[in-house]
Amino acid sequence: MSGTQAWGFTDDRGAQLGAARVPRRVVAYVRAGAALYDLGVIPVAVYGSGHDGDAYDPAKAGVLEAVGVPYLGPGRALDEAVLRELRPDVVVDVTYDGKSPYALDAALVERLGVPLVALSVGNELDLPAVLDRFAALAAGLRIDGREGVGAEATEPGAADPAAPVPVPVVVGSDAVGPEIVTPVTVSPATGPGQGAALAEFEAAEAALREAAARSGLGVLALSGAGPEQVHLARPHAWPELAWLAGLGVRLLDPGPGPGANWLTTDWVRAAALRPDLVLFDNREHATPPYALPGGVRLAPWNPETPPSPAAYARFFRDLAEALAP
């Protein structure tokens, strides 16, 4: 950051970014935007990926839809004029390869003349490092002392539309059957003080570690692609799944075959792994599990959980419940 720049940040592509003032108006990929909201930074709008449609995917949105953050549709179909009208100071995306933003065309942001931050969610970082990177960005966007980003200055005494709104979050759904666990209900941590969120994250880790040690259940993470096809997650290719393994969760590896993150196969091969618990992709583009043996427990998994301590604490708590006898 030069002497004339009030804000600087090096993203996970190695791009050294700067601005003459701290960015106030943030447009973000929905996963990044949901994490930033948890960390006290409110986007003015978010966009989806090529998997997403014209409306929010509830699994990926966190509380963004509930608090009124506009959704712009898939990032690679964004209308440049619409984006210009939002007057973003910075655009925040994720990257899986450390080279390119995942959900939109970098050239679009270049034409706007604003910084594009891409933070890694790939397996080159472990989960705490991923969380630390989002926390560092959020802290940098709050260094002017304002918790919310996205609103213009308000008149004295007027309500600040950027002030974080504490909205209860219900993760998952009520029990659908004897094999579906009822999840916990928590509220997101917002604002600069993340001590409570970090404490809850650590407590959720401890609860999951204890549940994993007691259960010994074999856990298979997958994404359904219809009755004939399923994508089986390779645990060490995903920061959160690798972290679960480190906490003692017995994750099943699908074995040799093509694909770095997923092994694409049929449901017969998934059943042959004899999982006790299946973590199924609950994003809207994925399909429900097919043809699993009777008695297999099911629990939802969002492969794009917002990278914040609050979001992962909720996931860990839900998984601990799913593993319970």
Side-chain angles (χ1 to χ4, degrees):
M1 182 169 61
S2 73
T4 60
Q5 293 179 329
W7 178 82
F9 189 83
T10 300
D11 78 357
D12 292 336
R13 300 169 299 164
Q16 296 182 349
L17 308 167
R21 64 185 179 97
V22 178
R24 295 270 304 279
R25 299 180 62 81
V26 178
V27 172
Y29 175 51
V30 62
R31 183 182 188 186
L36 290 173
Y37 182 90
D38 280 353
L39 295 164
V41 175
I42 305 176
V44 295
V46 295
Y47 55 88
S49 73
H51 291 303
D52 297 317
D54 294 330
Y56 267 117
D57 180 340
K60 296 168 69 170
V63 299
L64 295 177
E65 185 174 18
V67 300
V69 174
Y71 173 73
L72 305 176
R76 297 193 185 276
L78 280 180
D79 187 312
E80 183 174 339
V82 170
L83 200 54
R84 285 188 181 278
E85 288 179 2
L86 288 167
R87 297 178 289 113
D89 297 319
V90 66
V91 175
V92 181
D93 209 303
V94 301
T95 179
Y96 285 91
D97 62 5
K99 299 176 183 177
S100 306
Y102 168 63
L104 92 172
D105 187 350
L108 171 61
V109 183
E110 290 176 6
R111 291 195 296 271
L112 297 180
V114 300
L116 169 61
V117 177
L119 293 183
S120 178
V121 291
N123 64 358
E124 67 273 11
L125 298 179
D126 64 15
L127 180 61
V130 172
L131 300 182
D132 284 349
R133 292 295 287 151
F134 276 85
L137 175 62
L141 294 173
R142 292 195 311 263
I143 62 174
D144 63 353
R146 294 180 60 85
E147 294 180 8
V149 175
E152 301 298 333
T154 56
E155 294 296 325
D160 183 355
V165 180
V167 178
V169 181
V170 180
V171 182
S173 60
D174 290 335
V176 176
E179 303 301 335
I180 304 282
V181 251
T182 304
V184 297
T185 302
V186 297
S187 294
T190 57
Q194 290 298 307
L198 290 172
E200 172 58 20
F201 176 81
E202 292 170 358
E205 279 187 315
L208 179 54
R209 186 182 291 108
E210 181 178 353
R214 288 182 175 181
S215 77
L217 298 180
V219 179
L220 178 64
L222 57 79
S223 181
E228 306 298 331
Q229 192 174 77
V230 60
H231 308 296
L232 307 181
R234 299 189 183 280
H236 292 289
W238 299 82
E240 69 268 37
L241 297 182
W243 199 251
L244 295 182
L247 293 174
V249 177
R250 190 165 68 85
L251 284 156
L252 302 178
D253 192 294
N261 297 331
W262 305 98
L263 172 66
T264 299
T265 183
D266 57 27
W267 290 96
V268 173
R269 182 161 180 175
L273 292 170
R274 301 180 65 184
D276 302 301
L277 170 66
V278 164
L279 288 176
F280 66 93
D281 185 346
N282 67 339
R283 294 173 296 176
E284 283 200 332
H285 72 272
T287 59
Y290 287 86
L292 292 172
V296 174
R297 302 186 190 187
L298 302 176
W301 168 50
N302 176 11
E304 295 189 78
T305 298
S308 73
Y312 274 103
R314 295 192 289 268
F315 172 52
F316 290 172
R317 290 284 188 189
D318 287 350
L319 181 53
E321 289 288 333
L323 291 170

